Amino acid sequence: MLPVLLGLTLLAGGCQGAGVSEAGQERCRRLSAAAGDPFRAALSYFRCLPGTDRSLAMERAAMEKAAAARREALDSCRRRQGRIATLMESLRNAEQELAAARNSPFRPSVAPPQPLDDGRESRYRPEDQRLDRERYEEALGAWEQQVAGERARWLQRREARITAAQDRLDRDAQALRDLQPDLFTGPASIEFNPVAVSRVRTGCSS
């Protein structure tokens, strides 16, 4: 009977474990409550005390590590989403630039010389008509030469624009395929798969 009374006295009096945190003592009290009789409860309580703070510390460390891992996974997912969104926008801009470069018309900087008016020329002397014709043909030749140079430079610029836009589009498309292989509707397509886009945008849990 004495051990039972001793156990009751120790527990009822809230005997504290020296150097054990309140959280550790509370855990030991909860564990000892399931022991049944008061003596076993007291024995369970005092056996629990020495290692309880260490166990709590290990559990807290494990929980903090798991929480940090979840935060890092969420941050990584959001960074990936941001990268995909940036590349998707860049790809569409490159596609528009490519179409604009291919469809851009050539426009000479100056208009051609005004053709001779046959009705007016007929009123001139033959010598004056010949001089007007020579002047017109000279002006037309100079204009054609100038336009030919402008066209050649325009073609170079156009080709450079097309190459740059195509290279950018190809890089963006490849980067997106690496990040999200099912993002496009097909292996050679640059059209986005709506289902994959929706999954990318909602794939990170908060």
Side-chain angles (χ1 to χ4, degrees), residues 59-77:
E59 290 173 10
R60 281 195 298 270
M63 291 175 62
E64 291 171 0
K65 183 177 180 180
R70 287 193 297 271
R71 288 193 299 271
E72 175 57 31
L74 181 59
D75 290 344
S76 177
C77 180

Side-chain angles (χ1 to χ4, degrees), residues 45-103:
Y45 176 78
F46 285 108
R47 283 179 174 175
C48 168
L49 288 174
T52 187
D53 278 347
R54 182 171 179 274
S55 296
L56 286 173
M58 291 175 64
E59 290 173 10
R60 281 195 298 270
M63 291 175 62
E64 291 171 0
K65 183 177 180 180
R70 287 193 297 271
R71 288 193 299 271
E72 175 57 31
L74 181 59
D75 290 344
S76 177
C77 180
R78 286 173 175 169
R79 288 193 298 270
R80 179 176 173 276
Q81 281 184 327
R83 174 65 174 156
I84 290 176
T86 299
L87 284 168
M88 289 172 64
E89 182 179 3
S90 177
L91 183 144
R92 284 294 168 251
N93 290 340
E95 185 181 24
Q96 293 173 5
E97 170 62 18
L98 182 60
R102 285 173 172 168
N103 297 327

Side-chain angles (χ1 to χ4, degrees), residues 18-187:
V20 180
S21 68
E22 179 58 36
Q25 293 176 43
E26 178 60 27
R27 165 170 285 197
C28 290
R29 280 193 289 269
R30 288 199 306 270
L31 291 174
S32 66
D37 64 81
F39 176 74
R40 290 181 182 278
L43 186 60
S44 174
Y45 176 78
F46 285 108
R47 283 179 174 175
C48 168
L49 288 174
T52 187
D53 278 347
R54 182 171 179 274
S55 296
L56 286 173
M58 291 175 64
E59 290 173 10
R60 281 195 298 270
M63 291 175 62
E64 291 171 0
K65 183 177 180 180
R70 287 193 297 271
R71 288 193 299 271
E72 175 57 31
L74 181 59
D75 290 344
S76 177
C77 180
R78 286 173 175 169
R79 288 193 298 270
R80 179 176 173 276
Q81 281 184 327
R83 174 65 174 156
I84 290 176
T86 299
L87 284 168
M88 289 172 64
E89 182 179 3
S90 177
L91 183 144
R92 284 294 168 251
N93 290 340
E95 185 181 24
Q96 293 173 5
E97 170 62 18
L98 182 60
R102 285 173 172 168
N103 297 327
S104 61
F106 170 70
R107 294 187 176 92
S109 63
V110 294
Q114 191 69 26
L116 296 175
D117 186 333
D118 292 338
R120 187 179 63 181
E121 288 293 315
S122 65
R123 298 196 297 269
Y124 297 159
R125 295 180 305 171
E127 294 82 0
D128 293 334
Q129 293 180 18
R130 185 176 65 255
L131 289 174
D132 284 348
R133 174 62 60 182
E134 289 175 354
R135 284 194 291 268
Y136 170 75
E137 290 178 353
E138 182 180 351
L140 182 62
W143 177 82
E144 289 175 343
Q145 185 175 1
Q146 177 179 343
V147 168
E150 289 181 357
R151 183 183 294 276
R153 292 188 293 273
W154 171 80
L155 286 171
Q156 288 180 344
R157 291 193 300 270
R158 177 177 180 271
E159 187 62 31
R161 283 181 65 192
I162 290 174
T163 299
Q166 185 66 60
D167 289 347
R168 177 181 162 191
L169 189 150
D170 292 342
R171 286 195 304 269
D172 291 345
Q174 186 57 54
L176 285 168
R177 287 190 175 92
D178 292 341
L179 285 168
Q180 189 73 27
D182 64 344
L183 185 62
F184 297 103
T185 56

Side-chain angles (χ1 to χ4, degrees), residues 181-197:
D182 64 344
L183 185 62
F184 297 103
T185 56
S189 172
I190 57 170
E191 295 302 317
F192 298 130
N193 182 343
V195 175
V197 171

